[in-house]
Amino acid sequence: MKLTLEGLKNTKDWEAAGIALPSYDVAKVAENTKKAPVWVHFGAGNIFRIFIGGLADTLISNGAADKGITCVETFDFDVVDKIYVPYDNLVLAVTLKADGSTDKKVLGSLTEAIKAQSNVPEYWNRLKEIFVDPGLQMISFTITEKGYALKGADGNYFPFIQADIDNGPEKPGAAMAVVCALLFERYKAGKYPLAVVSMDNCSHNGEKLQNSITTMAKEWLAKGFVDQGFVDYISDEKQVSFPWSMIDKITPRPADSVCADLEKAGVEDIAPVITSKRTYIAPFVNAEGPQYLVIEDKFPNGRPALEKAGVYMTDRDTVNKVERMKVTTCLNPLHTALAVYGCVLGYTLIADEMKDSQLNKLVHEIGPVEGMPVVTDPGILSPADFVDEVINVRIPNPFMPDTPQRIATDTSQKVGIRYGETIKSYVEKYGDAKKLTAIPLAIAGWCRYLLGVNDEGEKFELSADPMLPELSKVLEGIEVGKPETYTGQLKSILSNANIFGIDLYQAGIGDKIEEMFKEEIAGPGAVRATLKKYMD
């Protein structure tokens, strides 16, 4: 069985393998979409293919849409060549259930895959053709928060962004310039309205996307590439809107076990590939079942009936509350605590950590106990039900191949929102955060993790983090097994409001974190002993 339009004709084989096929005419949907596109998506990776592609598949299957999504890749062009083209843009979606079973389904909703290369006329002209179509309703994004970044830590434009500014809309390279140039084409064609929707997992994502595109337009205006009317067009949300959203679905890299099961079932050419940009991707995508997408309902040119596929369509304030609930209380803080302690304690699977009584208690304390009193209830989702599902269904799922090492990436960029917001809420509500124990323990665990020495005294490799050189230098001289080598080195980290959003000493917990940290460096086994002290 081959994952191609021709291969799908052997329906009995697919059914025998327990793999559901599209109930609609995939070729017809592709033809409809190419003639009159309504939805373009930038960032053709895994979460898009299974989640957003799955939404479109549901709408088409239910008769709520007759068009799919046009896929555009702005970064890793190998994905188009190796994962889309050879498989006729089909996706084999595999949902990993906690009982070990899987749901397998072929999605036919991704109708066209285009490389965003302005130096290749075939691709660039096709994108222009799509963007000048008055019927285009929305463009969406899963390019990660880094895709919106224009400047480095020094405040200067990245060299490739400066090149985009200097080259103007005829020769864009990076994603923000590409999108800005295509919006300019739409403006010139008739100032047609459009929704520009970030679906990336970051706070205030619509605002970040809007700022980056507007900045690019203003730089081009200053150089004479575009006129003031274009800047006015993308600044008017009645013409070009930038809805905020919250997305949540854990989508790990393709699992070898899933690949083996599919091959055993008779599916050919399904093995993962590693692209030249180090993307680990396969013709199949494996992910958990639970998923949430909440979008601000601001679409000046109409939109697909997303609510019929389970998307929460609401206002900006509610999106913000849902995002805050997830990121500051119900999911992300728990993941970060498991990530740093998992690395120090030698775990390689997040799910296994939930069998550890102290770590299980730690996430219960961080979320339901310490976070819940100050959580923002968004109204459309229950924080208590959400965190209950996270702790009892999602994180313990043993068939989700997610690692603490992956989640520990960029922790310095995350602790401010994941813990700092709750700490600030405690200060506001109670005058200080001295009631907290589990959150300080999580922060102490992160500092202990930064030493790069596990609980047995052996070195391990720290995950990538932009502040790693700076933080490592601050902690120089501290030795596990020699608590006397701690002479207050954490003070500059814990008092840094740029990291935590607040000075933790002013919040009343800086000294507590230092004490926990000192207990965790007492010697081999000290991290475990400290967890037992506070969590048993």
Side-chain angles (χ1 to χ4, degrees):
M1 293 157 11
K2 291 198 172 184
L3 186 64
T4 61
L5 289 176
E6 187 62 32
L8 294 191
K9 291 177 181 177
N10 300 319
T11 54
K12 287 184 180 177
D13 291 343
W14 292 92
E15 287 169 8
I19 301 171
L21 298 181
S23 59
Y24 49 86
D25 185 334
V26 176
K28 180 64 176 171
V29 168
E31 184 185 341
N32 291 344
T33 312
K34 286 176 184 176
K35 282 181 182 174
V38 293
W39 185 354
V40 172
H41 186 91
F42 290 83
N46 286 330
I47 192 168
F48 160 67
R49 293 162 67 215
I50 195 167
F51 190 176
I52 313 307
L55 297 176
D57 177 79
T58 298
L59 293 178
I60 300 165
S61 299
N62 295 343
D66 64 352
K67 293 167 188 167
I69 306 175
T70 304
C71 318
V72 183
E73 180 54 41
T74 60
F75 173 70
D76 193 338
F77 302 128
D78 282 354
V79 169
V80 173
D81 291 333
K82 295 183 176 181
I83 295 300
Y84 280 79
V85 174
Y87 301 93
D88 295 331
N89 305 328
L90 297 168
V91 182
L92 182 43
V94 181
T95 300
L96 307 169
K97 297 184 176 182
D99 64 1
S101 65
T102 58
D103 277 345
K104 298 181 279 292
K105 183 180 185 182
V106 175
L107 309 180
S109 55
L110 309 183
T111 56
E112 188 176 7
I114 307 167
K115 302 177 195 177
Q117 291 178 296
S118 61
N119 59 342
V120 182
E122 176 192 351
Y123 305 141
W124 194 236
N125 290 337
R126 175 59 184 146
L127 284 171
K128 285 182 179 180
E129 184 183 357
I130 291 166
F131 267 74
V132 302
D133 190 311
L136 183 64
Q137 295 179 331
M138 65 182 285
I139 60 173
S140 53
F141 299 79
T142 49
I143 58 174
T144 77
E145 189 172 0
K146 292 176 184 175
Y148 308 136
L150 303 182
K151 295 179 178 180
D154 58 4
N156 296 318
Y157 288 119
F158 293 119
F160 62 92
I161 295 295
Q162 188 61 55
D164 279 336
I165 291 169
D166 294 339
N167 291 334
E170 290 302 313
K171 300 176 184 175
M176 292 300 94
V178 164
V179 175
C180 194
L182 292 168
L183 288 173
F184 186 46
E185 294 296 324
R186 190 166 181 81
Y187 161 75
K188 289 187 294 182
K191 301 183 183 177
Y192 303 126
L194 189 69
V196 181
V197 190
S198 172
M199 294 179 178
D200 274 301
N201 185 18
C202 56
S203 183
H204 297 187
N205 51 15
E207 184 178 50
K208 286 183 169 69
L209 176 56
Q210 183 176 27
N211 288 342
S212 295
I213 289 176
T214 305
T215 297
M216 184 64 63
K218 287 178 177 176
E219 291 287 1
W220 282 348
L221 174 65
K223 289 185 173 288
F225 289 121
V226 302
D227 57 21
Q228 181 63 46
F230 173 58
V231 176
D232 295 342
Y233 164 71
I234 62 167
S235 302
D236 179 359
E237 291 224 28
K238 290 177 181 174
Q239 290 189 288
V240 180
S241 66
F242 292 85
W244 294 17
S245 75
M246 189 287 295
I247 191 168
D248 181 25
K249 185 179 181 75
I250 300 172
T251 310
R253 61 189 262 176
D256 292 339
S257 57
V258 174
C259 182
D261 286 345
L262 292 172
E263 289 175 340
K264 188 177 177 182
V267 185
E268 302 170 48
D269 303 326
I270 206 75
V273 298
I274 302 175
T275 69
S276 57
K277 293 279 183 73
R278 309 303 298 165
T279 303
Y280 196 92
I281 195 166
F284 67 91
V285 183
N286 47 237
E288 66 173 347
Q291 59 185 33
Y292 299 89
L293 181 58
V294 184
I295 304 178
E296 178 186 4
D297 199 353
K298 188 184 282 187
F299 289 75
N301 203 31
R303 61 170 176 79
L306 297 166
E307 69 280 0
K308 292 183 178 178
V311 179
Y312 295 85
M313 304 304 299
T314 185
D315 56 68
R316 179 171 294 186
D317 185 52
T318 303
V319 173
N320 203 30
K321 286 177 180 174
V322 174
E323 195 266 340
R324 184 180 174 87
M325 175 198 78
K326 174 203 161 196
V327 172
T328 69
T329 306
C330 294
L331 175 61
N332 300 64
L334 319 186
H335 249 162
T336 291
L338 291 173
V340 295
Y341 275 110
C343 291
V344 173
L345 295 173
Y347 283 100
T348 55
L349 196 65
I350 284 287
D352 286 344
E353 293 186 66
M354 293 303 284
K355 301 170 192 168
D356 183 311
S357 61
Q358 284 94 36
L359 294 180
N360 191 303
K361 179 78 179 296
L362 180 64
V363 298
H364 273 91
E365 292 290 314
I366 291 171
V369 177
E370 294 186 349
M372 211 51 71
V374 294
V375 75
T376 309
D377 188 337
I380 62 171
L381 289 169
S382 159
D385 291 347
F386 190 95
V387 77
D388 180 70
E389 181 184 58
V390 166
I391 290 176
N392 294 309
V393 178
R394 299 177 66 183
I395 297 178
N397 184 342
F399 302 97
M400 282 291 294
D402 216 352
T403 68
Q405 290 74 20
R406 182 187 79 84
I407 294 170
T409 303
D410 298 338
T411 302
S412 71
Q413 310 300 293
K414 300 170 181 173
V415 287
I417 185 81
R418 296 186 179 186
Y419 300 122
E421 291 303 306
T422 295
I423 293 166
K424 284 191 278 188
S425 295
Y426 266 74
V427 171
E428 194 176 322
K429 189 170 183 176
Y430 304 112
D432 59 48
K434 290 179 181 178
K435 291 174 181 278
L436 298 174
T437 297
I439 287 174
L441 188 59
I443 294 170
W446 175 52
C447 297
R448 172 65 180 79
Y449 157 87
L450 288 169
L451 298 179
V453 177
N454 68 21
D455 201 26
E456 295 177 358
E458 302 161 340
K459 289 188 176 182
F460 67 88
E461 186 178 348
L462 296 171
S463 301
D465 189 312
M467 286 192 72
L468 214 48
E470 179 184 338
L471 293 168
S472 297
K473 189 164 183 61
V474 170
L475 299 176
E476 263 180 9
I478 300 175
E479 291 184 44
V480 174
K482 296 182 180 178
E484 68 274 9
T485 59
Y486 180 74
T487 55
Q489 292 95 324
L490 287 188
K491 290 188 189 302
S492 66
I493 296 174
L494 302 180
S495 62
N496 189 340
N498 289 328
I499 296 177
F500 293 101
I502 188 171
D503 180 333
L504 298 183
Y505 294 95
Q506 290 179 5
I509 57 172
D511 292 331
K512 181 185 281 190
I513 294 168
E514 280 192 88
E515 192 57 41
M516 290 170 164
F517 175 80
K518 281 191 279 187
E519 291 174 305
E520 291 190 338
I521 63 167
V527 173
R528 175 61 69 188
T530 306
L531 282 167
K532 283 183 177 177
K533 174 182 174 181
Y534 291 99
M535 290 295 115
D536 277 355

